């Protein structure tokens, strides 16, 4: 048994920030760390002049484009609470990586742009949260800019995703004229003061209702009327409804200016659920005080350009982790030494000596680990369900421009595959020399090509294939039937799944009419069992 693991787990809050691109995820991530005094000043996604890029966006392509592609794992203390914050890619092309990250969290912050409300990628990610039973807290961002009416934004949550709003704060001043928030639990107003470029935590002034009415008159009265209307319609805040995923706490703010961020952080500490026992592949709960176990949800190479090391991010599920302990990889049955373990904050690292359920640890030089692997100590063995692989929508044959770099090309492809950057498909007909890259979105191809060139010195050519319809072939003996068509072929994913690729639905329909016995099925997501 692991003494104190359950008590330590109770101090943990492990959550992800999800949103549509450009809603301000990375900015909010740094603002939260800033309020926890991990950073002395915040970067900015749109940094100008001598302002640096966002700390969690360390990859060159991210800094050049001003977007998050990789997911950053940030850990810091806030009072007596240990925060594990997972920043996720917002771009739709990298949603598969985001889905994996959501398997490692206990709650999520849904970030909305005040001017746009619910956007397509936010809706997709919220569906994943609902499917996984992840409680969602909502932060309506960019209230310092023109935007929608707060009542309209709250109604949208209820009408479009059946998630009634339970406001914890209410904005004083319309979007673009933001004075502060009404704290609906204390009744007071919290007034914010701007700092230079929002680079430091915004000073706060607490005003009684009388002081707020005297200073802000109509804006305060409007905030009171709107918040009272919301409470009259929706009722008082219910913690159980938040945990059940049937309602969402809502807060307003402006992450770029650090307005409203402290309220969000305090709400997460107070309300977000701590880790709970996780089910293994046999649906048995792994108790928090059981011996150490964890699962790998992300593998990343090149975070330290000086060493080109590979880091496997693992979510601790049970027990006490101690650096140097020998654990077992459930997939291979082989031991794995944990000599080099770190906490990773963007490009900043510190050595980890111990960790508890809910913590995210970075295992360095982890070339033997793959996404979805389970690690455990002692007996009996434990294995958690594998993470899903999603149906790809884009396909391209990859080959090195310089055939003399074929060895480096194969090494790079294996690396990208182990990290889940792209799915790798092969067939006897095409041979190992020309694997097919498969991706949810085309920007994944750009990342793969950039990394092969940057990290392995291999420039690649990508010949895009015309396939737009993909199915799982459930009977491998029917491979010849599919490949008899000039508008289809079968490729095998590394997990052993045979994917039947067709130019379009018309090509699939024609083949099914000729061969009614054809055994193919939709491929949405499937655990890889790792």
């Amino acid at each position: 048994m692991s003494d104190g693991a359950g008590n330590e787990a109770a101090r943990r809050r492990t959550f992800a920030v999800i949103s549509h691109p450009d809603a301000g995820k990375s900015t909010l991530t740094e603002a939260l760390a800033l309020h926890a005094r991990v950073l002395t000043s915040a970067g900015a996604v749109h940094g100008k002049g001598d302002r640096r890029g966002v700390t969690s966006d360390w990859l060159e392509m991210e800094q050049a484009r001003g977007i998050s592609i990789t997911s950053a794992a940030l850990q810091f203390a806030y009072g007596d609470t240990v925060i594990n914050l997972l920043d996720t890619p917002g771009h739709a092309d990298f949603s598969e990586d985001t889905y994996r990250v959501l398997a490692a969290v206990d709650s999520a912050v849904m970030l909305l742009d005040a001017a746009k409300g619910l956007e397509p990628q936010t809706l997709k990610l919220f569906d994943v949260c609902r499917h996984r039973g992840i409680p969602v807290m909502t932060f309506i961002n960019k209230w310092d800019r023109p935007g929608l009416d707060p009542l309209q934004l709250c109604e949208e949550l209820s009408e479009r995703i059946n998630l009634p709003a339970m406001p914890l704060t209410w904005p004083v001043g319309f979007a673009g004229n933001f004075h502060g928030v009404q704290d609906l639990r204390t009744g007071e107003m919290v007034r914010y003061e701007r700092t230079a470029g929002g680079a430091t935590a915004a000073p706060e002034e607490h005003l009684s209702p009388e002081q707020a009415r005297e200073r802000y008159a109509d804006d305060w009265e409007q905030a009171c009327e709107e918040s009272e209307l919301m409470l009259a319609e929706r009722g008082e805040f219910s913690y159980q409804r938040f945990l059940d995923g049937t309602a969402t706490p809502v807060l307003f703010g402006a992450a770029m200016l650090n307005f409203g961020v402290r309220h969000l952080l305090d709400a997460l500490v107070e309300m977000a659920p701590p880790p709970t026992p996780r089910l293994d592949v046999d649906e048995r709960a792994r108790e928090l005080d059981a011996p150490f176990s964890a699962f790998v949800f992300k593998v990343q190479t090149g975070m330290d350009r000086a060493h080109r090391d590979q880091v496997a991010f693992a979510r601790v599920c049970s027990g006490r982790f101690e650096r140097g302990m020998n654990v077992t990889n459930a997939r291979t049955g082989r031991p794995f030494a944990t000599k080099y373990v770190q906490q990773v904050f963007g490009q900043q690292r510190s050595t980890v000596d111990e960790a508890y359920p809910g913590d995210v640890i970075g295992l360095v030089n982890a070339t033997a680990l793959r996404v979805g692997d389970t690690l455990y100590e002692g007996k009996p063995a434990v294995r958690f369900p594998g993470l899903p692989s999603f149906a790809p929508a884009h396909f391209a044959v990859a080959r090195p421009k310089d055939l003399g770099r074929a060895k480096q090309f194969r090494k790079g492809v294996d690396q990208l595959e182990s990290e889940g950057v792209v799915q790798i498909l092969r067939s006897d007909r095409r041979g190992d020399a020309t694997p097919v890259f498969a991706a949810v979105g085309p920007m994944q191809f750009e990342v793969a090509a950039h990394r092969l060139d940057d990290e392995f010195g291999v420039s690649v050519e990508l010949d895009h294939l015309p396939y737009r319809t993909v199915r799982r072939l459930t009977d491998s003996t029917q491979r010849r039937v599919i490949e008899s068509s000039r508008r289809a072929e079968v490729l095998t994913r590394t997990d052993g799944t045979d994917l039947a690729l067709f130019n379009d639905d018309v090509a699939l329909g024609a083949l099914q009419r000729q061969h009614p016995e054809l055994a193919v099925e939709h491929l949405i997501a499937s655990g890889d069992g790792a």
Side-chain angles (χ1 to χ4, degrees):
M1 299 292 285
S2 298
D3 294 337
N7 292 333
E8 285 292 334
R11 298 174 53 217
R12 267 61 182 174
R13 300 293 184 273
T14 304
F15 62 94
V17 179
I18 61 171
S19 80
H20 197 79
D22 299 324
K25 284 185 317 304
S26 296
T27 307
L28 177 62
T29 297
E30 288 210 341
L32 289 167
L34 185 69
H35 276 267
R37 299 185 179 179
V38 180
L39 295 178
T40 54
S41 63
V45 220
H46 337 282
K48 295 181 180 179
D50 60 354
R51 293 198 65 175
R52 56 193 175 82
V54 172
T55 302
S56 59
D57 288 346
W58 52 267
L59 200 62
E60 283 183 4
M61 284 186 67
E62 296 178 296
Q63 294 169 349
R65 292 172 180 258
I67 61 172
S68 293
I69 294 174
T70 58
S71 302
L74 316 182
Q75 185 186 71
F76 51 85
Y78 182 63
D80 191 47
T81 303
V82 177
I83 301 291
N84 290 289
L85 193 167
L86 306 187
D87 184 28
T88 60
H91 199 287
D93 286 11
F94 304 96
S95 54
E96 189 169 5
D97 190 37
T98 302
Y99 295 147
R100 296 188 195 115
V101 171
L102 290 175
V105 302
D106 302 309
S107 61
V109 172
M110 182 165 63
L111 187 64
L112 304 185
D113 186 322
K116 299 175 181 177
L118 287 167
E119 298 180 83
Q121 183 65 4
T122 318
L123 294 170
K124 291 179 183 178
L125 297 174
F126 171 72
D127 284 342
V128 177
C129 290
R130 174 164 278 171
H131 176 72
R132 291 188 174 277
I134 299 172
V136 173
M137 190 172 290
T138 300
F139 186 76
I140 298 178
N141 191 26
K142 301 185 181 181
W143 206 254
D144 55 318
R145 306 178 188 181
L148 303 174
D149 178 87
L151 288 171
Q152 180 182 350
L153 288 161
C154 289
E155 283 302 312
E156 189 176 28
L157 290 170
S158 180
E159 293 174 1
R160 296 188 63 187
I161 59 175
N162 192 26
L163 191 70
M166 300 186 295
L168 299 177
T169 64
W170 199 260
V172 179
F174 57 83
N177 185 38
F178 192 28
H179 307 304
V181 295
Q182 179 190 19
D183 188 325
L184 299 185
R185 292 192 290 176
T186 66
E188 69 179 5
M189 175 181 172
V190 179
R191 174 184 171 274
Y192 303 116
E193 294 183 13
R194 289 177 179 253
T195 60
T200 57
E204 298 179 359
E205 180 183 5
H206 292 249
L207 304 177
S208 68
E210 294 74 23
Q211 290 172 320
R213 185 174 295 107
E214 181 179 347
R215 192 177 302 186
Y216 293 106
D218 292 345
D219 286 339
W220 173 254
E221 290 296 339
Q222 182 174 350
C224 291
E225 290 174 6
E226 291 176 342
S227 61
E228 287 172 7
L229 179 62
M230 280 296 300
L231 290 174
E233 289 185 355
R234 305 296 182 192
E236 295 294 327
F237 175 82
S238 166
Y239 179 62
Q240 193 58 47
R241 292 183 71 197
F242 165 53
L243 290 185
D244 292 344
T246 57
T248 179
V250 174
L251 303 98
F252 293 81
M256 183 66 76
L257 300 177
N258 299 303
F259 288 4
V261 175
R262 179 190 61 79
H263 272 102
L264 175 62
L265 190 53
D266 287 344
L268 285 162
V269 169
E270 179 185 346
M271 301 176 190
T276 55
R278 185 168 289 258
L279 298 180
D280 63 15
V281 291
D282 297 318
E283 296 191 349
R284 295 173 302 196
R286 178 76 168 184
E287 295 300 327
L288 299 174
D289 282 325
F292 167 77
S293 65
F295 69 90
V296 177
F297 65 90
K298 180 176 179 61
V299 177
Q300 185 70 58
T301 297
M303 297 183 75
D304 185 341
R305 298 184 66 85
H307 301 291
R308 296 291 186 190
D309 56 359
Q310 179 168 310
V311 179
F313 291 93
R315 150 77 187 238
V316 180
C317 299
S318 66
R320 178 174 182 261
F321 171 82
E322 296 179 82
R323 182 169 63 91
M325 71 192 313
N326 287 315
V327 299
T328 301
N329 183 341
R331 174 175 55 86
T332 64
R334 295 176 180 174
F336 179 83
T338 62
K339 184 178 180 181
Y340 303 105
V341 186
Q342 297 175 335
Q343 291 175 354
V344 181
F345 186 109
Q347 286 182 305
Q348 304 170 28
R349 302 183 180 201
S350 58
T351 299
V352 171
D353 290 318
E354 63 179 15
Y356 294 92
D359 287 343
V360 173
I361 55 177
L363 301 164
V364 185
N365 297 329
T367 55
L369 299 182
R370 303 176 70 91
V371 169
D373 279 354
T374 296
L375 301 173
Y376 66 91
E377 181 193 30
K379 294 181 180 180
V382 62
R383 192 169 186 173
F384 297 112
L387 301 184
S389 296
F390 288 82
H394 303 271
F395 307 88
V397 177
R399 55 174 60 86
K401 292 181 180 179
D402 180 359
L403 295 180
R405 307 287 294 173
K407 182 178 180 180
Q408 291 86 344
F409 173 70
R410 286 194 298 272
K411 183 178 179 182
V413 168
D414 289 344
Q415 181 62 52
L416 297 179
E417 182 181 29
S418 72
E419 295 179 24
V421 175
V422 287
Q423 296 179 31
I424 305 298
L425 311 180
R426 297 181 172 87
S427 69
D428 291 339
R429 190 173 77 178
R430 291 188 179 275
D432 286 339
T434 53
V436 172
F437 287 3
V440 174
M443 198 181 291
Q444 289 179 258
F445 293 145
E446 291 185 47
V447 172
H450 172 83
R451 291 192 54 190
L452 286 169
D453 187 21
D454 184 56
E455 298 173 24
F456 297 91
V458 181
S459 295
V460 295
E461 293 178 343
L462 293 175
D463 297 330
H464 294 270
L465 298 174
Y467 305 127
R468 291 293 175 265
T469 298
V470 57
R471 296 289 187 271
R472 184 204 308 273
L473 178 62
T474 57
D475 182 355
S476 60
T477 63
Q478 295 180 336
R479 178 185 291 261
R480 289 184 180 179
V481 171
I482 294 173
E483 294 190 335
S484 65
S485 169
R486 289 182 295 177
R487 296 191 294 166
E489 74 173 290
V490 177
L491 294 169
T492 303
R493 199 162 61 190
T494 306
D495 63 3
T497 303
D498 287 331
L499 300 185
L501 310 181
F502 302 87
N503 281 19
D504 47 36
D505 290 341
V506 174
L508 170 59
L511 199 61
Q512 286 179 318
R513 285 191 294 273
Q514 295 175 19
H515 301 276
E517 76 285 1
L518 192 60
V520 295
E521 61 184 26
H522 282 273
L523 181 77
I524 300 173
S526 60
D528 60 12

